[in-house]
């Protein structure tokens, strides 16, 4: 699903490099109440996921069949228990951890490769055409197809999903980075740096990359939400995390069997996925507005 | 125009070949030997060797690829490992329901999305605009399966209004309609948000254009201005963007089919992958990719057909 990420990212124009760095980006960001709340939720979720092993009341696989399907509010089980009698709070904490890790790994892997391709295309004009045609080809297939194909070859698993989502992220990131790098490349200071005999690697790292960072960050934030949505859908289909591992999409899928008499098992993980994606989408939109107010529509 | 169409078709050829090659290689890297599977567990080594020769598996890889292409052109995608049914037969039975689901979803969600986006753009900054914008951000964050499960729980289970498993019958029967309703609501429901957002942006851009000011200046009613002058021009980018979202729709369709046990290609693909039915998995992935290439091509051509300015480009 190149799609929504692409259209959202397409409006992120590169900030002209000549523009001085405006101080207090974070301060301007949190002045918007929606953005502040989204940022707070993101920070909270990340902290909770990191601290999952210490916060969880039980071990991730501990079960007690006598409390299976307990509804939220049961004595000692604030959010109830799942079909195997595992504490929902524990499962959610570990599930959140797995889901966020899947998202971070996909955006990081796909983003870094994509950014390298984008910089290479903008810097070495001779391979630009070839690289970008290759990216167009990748872009012409939705992430779900990568997910299905890679799962068919490697078998289901969380690494399958990370690989599929990374592949789907590469062309999007490459386009965005190439677009903003091309603008920066036209600046005089690049010419000046080149005239001093600086090496290509140094030129890219010291002068080109730092001036392309803001669209890159906006895209990564918005993409993170998309990746979580896609990844949890693939997990829901059974192509991702395998039992007994806790992952939010897989938990929703397990809860499907108990939907009619214990809906909380499916609904709570779904709500958590929705919260993550919404928070990242709002944060991404706010970041874009803060970094480049001209784009606000 | 013809030249443009030909050009686009030619550009799709390498992608198509790439997909076929990947589909072929997919079968090469899977851990099971098709000849052994075909021969069955009790077969002797000679029988397996005979079957391998019959299937052409003892040939060099490029010969095998040629054979694979030849079979493909004759509609032969192999036989399912699980139930011995020809892959093409299963595909033929599942494509219809998948298309049915996708069209039904688009049919109701696109008009609603376009209407919401237009209204939001026209009353820009109003409470209504904020409501639509908030709705589209929130709607774009809902997992497809969440929406599906909620519809099953409320509409199907609690209120018992509509069936929620399988396909009740062909589209021209009442049962067919009833069983299609919830899956189409689910898949379409996730599509409203992106359509509304894209329409809003496109209409906003056109509303500021000079020809809209001219239309107003010559005394046209607001309704005519928005409908004929603004929306009509805004539809060009919207149509393209909707076309580009078909991949997103496809992903949703695979999940929706699984949630509602809808007998489509997506559910077939997931089932084949999970049961290691490699020929079937390959066939479904191939057909989904081909369908996707064709849709992209059609969108590309439609875009030029709608916007004559693009013809020179």
């Amino acid at each position: 699903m190149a799609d929504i990420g692409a259209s959202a990212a397409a409006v992120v124009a590169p900030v002209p490099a000549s523009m001085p760095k405006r101080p207090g980006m974070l301060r301007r960001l949190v002045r918007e109440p929606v953005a502040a709340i989204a940022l707070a939720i993101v920070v909270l979720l990340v902290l909770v996921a990191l601290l999952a092993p210490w916060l969880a009341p039980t071990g991730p696989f501990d079960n007690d069949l006598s409390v299976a399907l307990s509804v939220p509010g049961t004595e000692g089980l604030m959010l109830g228990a799942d079909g195997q009698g595992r504490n929902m709070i524990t499962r959610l904490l570990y599930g959140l951890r797995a889901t966020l890790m899947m998202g971070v790994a996909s955006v990081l892997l796909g983003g870094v490769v994509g950014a390298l391709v984008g910089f290479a295309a903008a810097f070495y004009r001779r391979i630009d055409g070839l690289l970008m045609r290759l990216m167009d080809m990748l872009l012409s297939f939705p992430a779900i197809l990568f997910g299905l194909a890679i799962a068919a070859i490697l078998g289901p698993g969380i690494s399958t999903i990370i690989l599929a989502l990374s592949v789907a992220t590469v062309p999007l990131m490459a386009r965005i980075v190439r677009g903003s790098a091309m603008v920066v490349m036209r600046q005089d200071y690049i010419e000046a740096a080149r005239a001093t005999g600086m090496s290509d690697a140094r030129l890219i790292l010291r002068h080109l990359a730092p001036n392309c960072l803001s669209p890159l960050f906006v895209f990564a934030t918005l993409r993170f939400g998309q990746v979580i949505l896609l990844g949890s859908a693939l997990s829901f289909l059974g192509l991702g995390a395998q039992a007994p591992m806790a992952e939010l999409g897989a938990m929703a899928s397990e809860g499907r069997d108990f939907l009619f008499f214990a809906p909380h098992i499916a609904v709570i993980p779904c709500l958590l996925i929705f919260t993550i994606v919404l928070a990242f989408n709002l944060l991404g939109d706010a970041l874009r507005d803060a970094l480049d107010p001209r784009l606000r529509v | 125009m013809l030249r443009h169409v030909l050009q686009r078709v030619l550009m799709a050829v390498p992608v198509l070949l790439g997909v076929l090659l990947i589909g072929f290689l997919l079968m090469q890297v899977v851990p099971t030997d098709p000849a052994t599977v075909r021969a069955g567990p009790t077969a002797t080594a000679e029988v397996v060797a005979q079957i391998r020769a019959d299937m052409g598996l003892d040939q060099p890889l490029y010969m095998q690829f040629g054979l694979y292409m030849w079979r493909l052109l004759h509609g032969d995608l192999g036989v399912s490992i699980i139930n011995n049914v020809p892959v093409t037969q299963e595909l033929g039975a599942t494509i219809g329901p998948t298309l049915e689901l996708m069209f039904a979803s688009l049919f109701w969600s696109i008009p609603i999305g376009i209407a919401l986006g237009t209204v939001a753009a026209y009353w820009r900054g109003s409470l209504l605009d904020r409501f639509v914008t908030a709705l589209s951000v929130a709607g774009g964050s809902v997992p497809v399966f969440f929406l599906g499960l909620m519809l099953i729980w409320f509409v199907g289970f609690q209120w018992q209004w509509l069936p929620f498993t399988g396909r009740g019958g062909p589209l021209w029967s009442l049962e067919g309609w009833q069983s299609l309703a919830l899956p189409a609501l689910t898949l379409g429901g996730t599509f409203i948000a992106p359509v509304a957002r894209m329409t809003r942006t496109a209409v906003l851009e056109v509303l500021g254009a000079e020809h809209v000011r001219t239309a107003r200046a010559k005394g046209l009613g607001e309704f005519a201005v928005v409908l004929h002058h603004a929306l009509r021009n805004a539809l060009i980018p919207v149509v393209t963007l909707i076309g580009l979202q078909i991949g997103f729709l496809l992903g949703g369709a695979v999940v929706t089919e699984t949630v509602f046990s809808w007998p489509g290609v997506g559910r077939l693909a997931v089932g084949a992958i999970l049961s290691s039915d490699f020929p079937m998995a390959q066939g479904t992935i191939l057909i989904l990719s081909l369908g996707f290439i064709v849709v992209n091509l059609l969108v590309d051509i439609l875009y030029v057909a709608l916007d004559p300015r693009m013809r020179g480009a």
Side-chain angles (χ1 to χ4, degrees):
Chain A
M1 293 179 233
D3 13 272
I4 294 198
S7 56
V11 291
V12 184
V15 180
S18 53
M19 199 185 278
K21 260 213 176 88
R22 288 159 297 167
M25 218 287 292
L26 192 70
R27 189 169 298 168
R28 260 181 310 126
L29 190 67
V30 295
R31 209 179 289 152
E32 295 275 332
V34 177
I37 294 169
L39 185 64
I41 291 175
V42 166
V43 170
L44 184 73
L45 287 171
V46 170
L47 276 180
V48 165
L50 285 174
L51 297 173
W54 293 278
L55 291 174
T58 57
F61 311 123
D62 294 353
N63 67 331
D64 175 5
L65 282 176
S66 65
V67 297
L69 305 179
S70 294
V71 293
T74 309
E75 182 76 47
L77 293 167
M78 210 167 70
L79 293 177
D82 70 2
Q84 298 189 37
R86 290 175 297 207
N87 191 325
M88 279 294 282
I89 294 182
T90 306
R91 296 294 285 174
L92 286 166
L93 285 170
Y94 280 96
L96 176 70
R97 194 176 160 92
T99 302
L100 289 182
M101 256 157 54
M102 175 186 78
V104 170
S106 310
V107 173
L108 213 61
L109 188 62
V112 167
V113 175
L116 287 178
V117 172
F119 282 131
F123 199 82
Y124 302 107
R125 306 295 305 152
R126 264 182 308 168
I127 52 168
D128 180 35
L130 179 73
L131 283 177
M132 290 332 272
R133 287 298 81 70
L134 220 71
M135 292 299 111
D136 284 347
M137 266 187 200
L138 278 184
L139 206 58
S140 64
F141 292 100
I144 188 84
L145 275 177
F146 292 129
L148 292 175
I150 295 173
I153 299 171
L154 298 180
I158 212 154
S159 47
T160 295
I161 294 195
I162 292 175
L163 190 58
L165 296 177
S166 303
V167 172
T169 304
V170 167
L172 298 170
M173 184 58 109
R175 276 192 163 188
I176 291 186
V177 167
R178 175 180 174 271
S180 48
M182 298 268 277
V183 176
V184 176
M185 285 293 287
R186 282 198 288 271
Q187 305 297 320
D188 290 339
Y189 65 82
I190 294 286
E191 197 60 39
R194 208 198 283 269
T196 63
M198 201 176 261
S199 73
D200 285 359
R202 202 173 142 85
L203 190 60
I204 292 177
L205 278 176
R206 290 285 299 274
H207 295 279
L208 186 55
N211 288 299
C212 300
L213 283 185
S214 38
L216 196 147
F217 274 126
V218 172
F219 169 75
T221 311
L222 286 168
R223 183 65 186 163
F224 193 84
Q226 296 304 318
V227 160
I228 295 288
L229 214 49
L230 284 162
S232 60
L234 287 168
S235 265
F236 180 85
L237 293 173
L239 303 175
Q242 299 294 302
M245 187 182 177
E247 193 279 335
L248 297 177
M251 287 171 71
S253 175
E254 285 165 26
R256 216 181 127 200
D257 300 336
F258 311 109
L259 187 63
F260 300 142
F261 38 97
H264 69 276
I265 301 174
V267 170
I268 301 177
C270 286
L271 282 173
L272 196 51
I273 297 171
F274 171 68
T275 310
I276 301 170
V277 179
L278 185 62
F280 273 93
N281 280 344
L282 290 172
L283 190 63
D285 283 343
L287 261 179
R288 183 181 51 200
D289 293 344
L291 287 169
D292 194 353
R294 290 166 306 165
L295 290 168
R296 198 191 300 247
V297 277
Chain B
M1 183 70 199
L2 186 71
R3 208 179 122 225
H4 175 80
V5 171
L6 279 175
Q7 207 177 352
R8 293 289 149 151
V9 171
L10 281 178
M11 274 167 71
V13 169
V15 180
L16 189 69
L17 281 176
V19 166
L20 292 176
L21 188 67
I22 290 168
F24 170 72
L25 290 176
L26 200 147
M27 289 304 288
Q28 303 298 319
V29 297
V30 295
T32 47
D33 171 28
T36 319
V37 173
R38 180 78 62 90
T42 56
T44 59
E46 290 86 63
V47 175
V48 173
Q50 182 59 44
I51 289 174
R52 182 167 291 130
D54 286 348
M55 291 174 82
L57 293 173
D58 53 351
Q59 306 273 339
L61 215 56
Y62 64 91
M63 286 291 289
Q64 282 195 48
F65 184 64
L67 196 66
Y68 160 84
M69 290 293 287
W70 179 255
R71 285 187 182 142
L72 204 66
L73 288 172
H74 290 78
D76 180 7
L77 280 167
V79 182
S80 161
I81 293 177
I82 304 294
N83 57 11
N84 256 337
V85 176
V87 172
T88 34
Q89 189 184 321
E90 287 268 15
L91 286 179
T94 48
I95 289 174
T98 292
L99 289 177
E100 203 176 284
L101 172 62
M102 290 180 96
F103 276 115
S105 308
L106 292 174
F107 184 75
W108 77 273
S109 62
I110 290 180
I112 291 185
I114 288 180
L116 283 177
T118 310
V119 165
Y122 187 74
W123 285 288
R124 179 188 183 175
S126 69
L127 212 60
L128 193 71
D129 177 25
R130 283 194 202 160
F131 177 72
V132 172
T133 307
L135 199 73
S136 68
V137 174
S141 310
V142 178
V144 188
F145 49 87
F146 189 23
L147 188 57
L149 291 178
M150 286 297 91
L151 284 174
I152 288 179
W153 201 63
F154 283 106
V155 185
F157 177 70
Q158 293 281 27
W159 306 334
Q160 309 236 324
W161 284 355
L162 288 163
F164 52 82
T165 40
R167 181 164 172 261
L171 203 52
W172 51 86
S173 67
L174 181 64
E175 289 78 23
W177 275 99
Q178 285 175 334
S179 62
L180 180 60
L182 286 187
L185 275 177
T186 302
L187 186 55
T190 60
F191 208 55
I192 293 179
V195 174
R197 195 167 41 218
M198 293 177 311
T199 308
R200 180 178 177 275
T201 313
V203 172
L204 267 184
E205 218 163 85
V206 176
L207 275 178
E210 289 186 352
H211 72 269
V212 170
R213 202 167 48 171
T214 309
R216 282 212 173 102
K218 72 179 183 185
L220 279 183
E222 277 302 285
F223 193 71
V225 170
V226 172
L227 206 65
H228 295 299
H229 295 262
L231 186 58
R232 209 172 147 181
N233 281 294
L235 279 184
I236 295 171
V238 168
V239 165
T240 329
L241 287 166
I242 288 174
L244 291 174
Q245 300 282 336
I246 294 297
F248 168 77
L249 193 72
L250 183 68
V254 176
V255 177
T256 307
E257 286 176 6
T258 305
V259 171
F260 290 93
S261 306
W262 187 258
V265 185
R267 183 162 162 268
L268 183 68
V270 173
I273 292 167
L274 291 180
S275 59
S276 303
D277 187 349
F278 297 112
M280 191 65 85
Q282 182 205 29
T284 48
I285 292 170
L286 216 54
I287 204 80
L288 290 174
S289 312
L290 293 189
F292 202 68
I293 293 175
V294 171
V295 169
N296 272 347
L297 197 62
L298 288 179
V299 170
D300 227 17
I301 292 169
L302 186 68
Y303 184 43
V304 178
L306 281 176
D307 191 350
R309 283 170 301 183
M310 287 303 293
R311 275 177 208 166

